[in-house]
Amino acid sequence: STPVAAEASDLTAEQLQALTPKGSDLWLTQQQGTGRLPVSLNHDQSLLIDTGAGGSVSLSWAQDDRTPWAGPLLVAGGVFALVGLLLYLLAIDHDRRGLGPRRGRSGPLLGIRNLLGGSRSSRSESGPKRGRTSRRSVALPALGITAALALTGCSSSYWPDLSADPAADAARSTPPAESNVAPVPITQAQIDRIVADIADVAGQGDDGLDAKLLEPRFAGDAFAQRKAHYKIRSKVKDYEVILPRITETLLDYELVQSTEGWPRVVFVTVASETPSDAKTNASASEDSQAGKKSVNTKSAEDPGSRSASSPSLAMLLVQENPFDNYQVTRLFALRGGISMPSAAPVSEGTALLADDMQGLVLQPQQVGPSYAKVLAGGTKTAAAASFDLKDDTIIEKSGAAWVAAAKKAAKKDKVDVKYSVTAAQTKTPIINLSTGTGGALVSTTLLESRIEKQSGKFQPKAVGAVSAISGLKGVQKRIVSKVQHQLLFYVPSEKSGEKIQLLGYTTELVGASK
């Protein structure tokens, strides 16, 4: 197609040569093996067969031997035969009315009754007449039996398939009308397959603490977060942050961008489980060799806490071009007690909104910077008026709240260290999806810099996670810890009178320096 050709024009000959269609998310389904495979394709679908070295394939067209009008036509013929027989009897009646005794005989079908009466009175006079009368008396039952056998012998292929959906038949027979609305480029079956692969890849990376295993399905901030977590956990065995494991259990909230080009965006929610649950479920699965995992889908207020329950997760999937698969670029743990905004079904799709979209409480491009001001300056800043900050864990524990808690602890321990914090939106592009109800889901990432600086005799010390992520050891004159916040907001329409709500987030220490 034209969009694919445009993407391919940017690739070198070596890159084109290295491309393979195997495993692409663009396929509706993929199968491998030998044998016969029945295939039925719509007008806009294609089939690609890779026989491999020395392989072969043959194609045969299935002929439809059904005769759906045979049954109705046979029935119609039987009806016409009965009508003809009735007309024949009426003609005989009309012709025979003048025969036989008239006195004492009246009523309908007089001619037929005269014929039958004459036949009974002449039985003893002639043998040949008895034979003709017997044949006439047997004719009608024989005709009925023959018709019954003919109809009962018709198979289902002799009749129209009335169980089929007329709308579907009309859609197949009628070319689709042109529409200005972009199509939904992915089906539910494809989403199920992609999420299952993501769960498998994430599980392998979490088990081996190997970020390279994540590369097929993770990119951007989601990849940076997990890579940093693996680095810390490989050196700090008792690291307090525990990543919830991604499962393939889809929850009931999905948004798919309607588009013909690239990049393409899909937003899905899935259940998660704690690592201990994962091991328990894996053992139970091996023992029973059947059954599904038991998944805890409760949300967690603090996804970085060891005591947090396993939260529901939201993933932002992006396919940059037709030659790459969908990758998780941002990952959020949904907050407990929140309600996701109403959204259009997957089959209808949704729109990707511009960063300067008007008509919302804030333009999408202003949401991240405004929240960063609240994070660094506290809830009394002017920007806080646009946000619903009730039970907002990030505001309560990070940024200005972290500075206040650190100063309080330092004063108690009589430590003369200066604490400060800055926060800013990263250069990673924000992604804004319409919910179809006048609002938008806005996903962005903030980078919080927590600064500890010597102001007297005491010097801050790099230990634990800070030392593991940075390589710094012992006392330092200045330590800057980089904390990444992946944030998912619901931004309502300006007319609604509602405030911006934080739906989900993920927080991780991703770096440190002097």
Side-chain angles (χ1 to χ4, degrees):
S1 65
T2 301
V4 176
E7 294 287 345
S9 63
D10 298 331
L11 300 178
T12 64
E14 291 77 10
Q15 290 174 323
L16 286 172
Q17 185 67 26
L19 292 176
T20 174
K22 292 182 179 180
S24 173
D25 288 342
L26 296 179
W27 297 113
L28 296 177
T29 183
Q30 300 178 73
Q31 297 187 40
Q32 183 175 352
T34 59
R36 297 175 59 87
L37 177 67
V39 177
S40 178
L41 300 177
N42 293 332
H43 69 281
D44 58 347
Q45 296 176 348
S46 301
L47 175 68
L48 180 65
I49 303 174
D50 182 6
T51 61
S56 63
V57 63
S58 62
L59 180 66
S60 61
W61 298 100
Q63 301 296 327
D64 188 2
D65 57 357
R66 296 179 70 254
T67 53
W69 289 106
L73 291 175
L74 285 172
V75 172
V79 172
F80 283 122
L82 291 176
V83 171
L85 178 61
L86 178 60
L87 294 175
Y88 178 70
L89 292 176
L90 292 176
I92 294 177
D93 177 67
H94 178 75
D95 185 58
R96 296 285 182 169
R97 278 182 180 273
L99 303 178
R102 298 186 179 182
R103 182 176 299 174
R105 299 180 65 86
S106 62
L109 299 178
L110 180 59
I112 298 298
R113 286 184 288 145
N114 287 341
L115 175 62
L116 296 178
S119 298
R120 286 194 299 268
S121 62
S122 61
R123 287 175 185 172
S124 60
E125 298 177 2
S126 173
K129 288 185 178 180
R130 281 200 303 271
R132 286 194 298 270
T133 304
S134 299
R135 286 192 294 269
R136 281 197 297 268
S137 63
V138 175
L140 288 179
L143 179 60
I145 294 174
T146 303
L149 290 176
L151 293 179
T152 56
C154 294
S155 66
S156 59
S157 64
Y158 284 14
W159 300 90
D161 185 6
L162 301 179
S163 63
D165 184 5
D169 293 339
R172 284 194 293 268
S173 60
T174 304
E178 293 186 3
S179 173
N180 294 327
V181 179
V184 178
I186 190 171
T187 65
Q188 186 62 54
Q190 288 172 284
I191 294 176
D192 294 343
R193 189 175 71 243
I194 291 168
V195 170
D197 191 45
I198 289 172
D200 182 59
V201 168
Q204 293 180 32
D206 293 350
D207 292 338
L209 299 180
D210 188 351
K212 289 185 178 180
L213 298 176
L214 300 177
E215 292 179 356
R217 286 298 185 181
F218 283 77
D221 297 330
F223 178 78
Q225 177 237 346
R226 253 176 162 75
K227 182 179 180 180
H229 181 88
Y230 293 167
K231 186 175 182 180
I232 296 173
R233 183 161 291 284
S234 63
K235 298 179 180 180
V236 183
K237 303 303 181 183
D238 59 346
Y239 185 39
E240 61 184 6
V241 177
I242 298 179
L243 291 180
R245 293 180 69 94
I246 301 171
T247 73
E248 61 183 68
T249 304
L250 282 164
L251 302 181
D252 57 354
Y253 196 90
E254 300 174 4
L255 285 173
V256 178
Q257 178 194 2
S258 299
T259 181
E260 290 182 312
W262 280 269
R264 296 176 173 180
V265 178
V266 175
F267 179 90
V268 297
T269 55
V270 299
S272 73
E273 58 187 6
T274 62
S276 58
D277 290 338
K279 292 179 180 179
T280 301
N281 291 332
S283 299
S285 178
E286 290 175 0
D287 292 340
S288 63
Q289 297 182 355
K292 296 182 178 180
K293 293 182 178 180
S294 176
V295 179
N296 182 354
T297 60
K298 296 181 180 179
S299 298
E301 283 305 309
D302 186 4
S305 171
R306 182 177 291 274
S307 61
S309 60
S310 186
S312 299
L313 303 177
M315 298 189 297
L316 197 63
L317 313 180
V318 177
Q319 187 183 37
E320 292 291 344
N321 57 65
F323 312 110
D324 292 337
N325 284 337
Y326 282 91
Q327 293 181 304
V328 183
T329 58
R330 285 193 177 99
L331 180 65
F332 317 97
L334 298 178
R335 295 174 58 195
I338 60 99
S339 297
M340 297 295 289
S342 300
V346 174
S347 58
E348 295 182 9
T350 190
L352 193 66
L353 302 179
D355 294 347
D356 58 354
M357 176 72 180
Q358 302 289 335
L360 302 175
V361 174
L362 288 177
Q363 295 181 13
Q365 62 186 2
Q366 298 174 343
V367 174
S370 297
Y371 192 81
K373 292 179 181 178
V374 181
L375 182 63
T379 57
K380 295 183 179 181
T381 60
S386 300
F387 296 88
D388 180 3
L389 301 177
K390 182 180 179 181
D391 299 326
D392 189 324
T393 307
I394 292 184
I395 298 299
E396 292 176 354
K397 295 185 178 182
S398 302
W402 172 84
V403 172
K407 287 182 177 180
K408 183 177 180 180
K411 183 177 181 180
K412 180 179 179 180
D413 297 336
K414 297 180 180 181
V415 174
D416 51 350
V417 174
K418 184 179 180 180
Y419 298 94
S420 61
V421 69
T422 62
Q425 183 172 265
T426 65
K427 296 181 180 180
T428 306
I430 63 175
I431 295 180
N432 323 298
L433 290 170
S434 171
T435 61
T437 57
L441 291 182
V442 176
S443 60
T444 186
T445 303
L446 300 185
L447 190 63
E448 175 188 349
S449 298
R450 299 176 178 178
I451 305 169
E452 304 173 64
K453 186 178 180 181
Q454 179 182 1
S455 61
K457 294 182 180 180
F458 189 86
Q459 291 181 321
K461 187 176 183 180
V463 295
V466 172
S467 180
I469 197 68
S470 65
L472 299 175
K473 296 181 180 180
V475 294
Q476 306 289 332
K477 292 183 178 181
R478 184 173 181 266
I479 298 177
V480 181
S481 301
K482 302 289 185 179
V483 180
Q484 174 185 276
H485 303 288
Q486 298 177 65
L487 306 173
L488 175 66
F489 294 98
Y490 172 61
V491 184
S493 64
E494 189 175 11
K495 297 180 180 179
S496 68
E498 301 175 3
K499 293 185 177 182
I500 300 173
Q501 184 180 18
L502 179 65
L503 300 178
Y505 63 92
T506 299
T507 296
E508 186 74 54
L509 177 66
V510 295
S513 62
K514 294 182 180 181

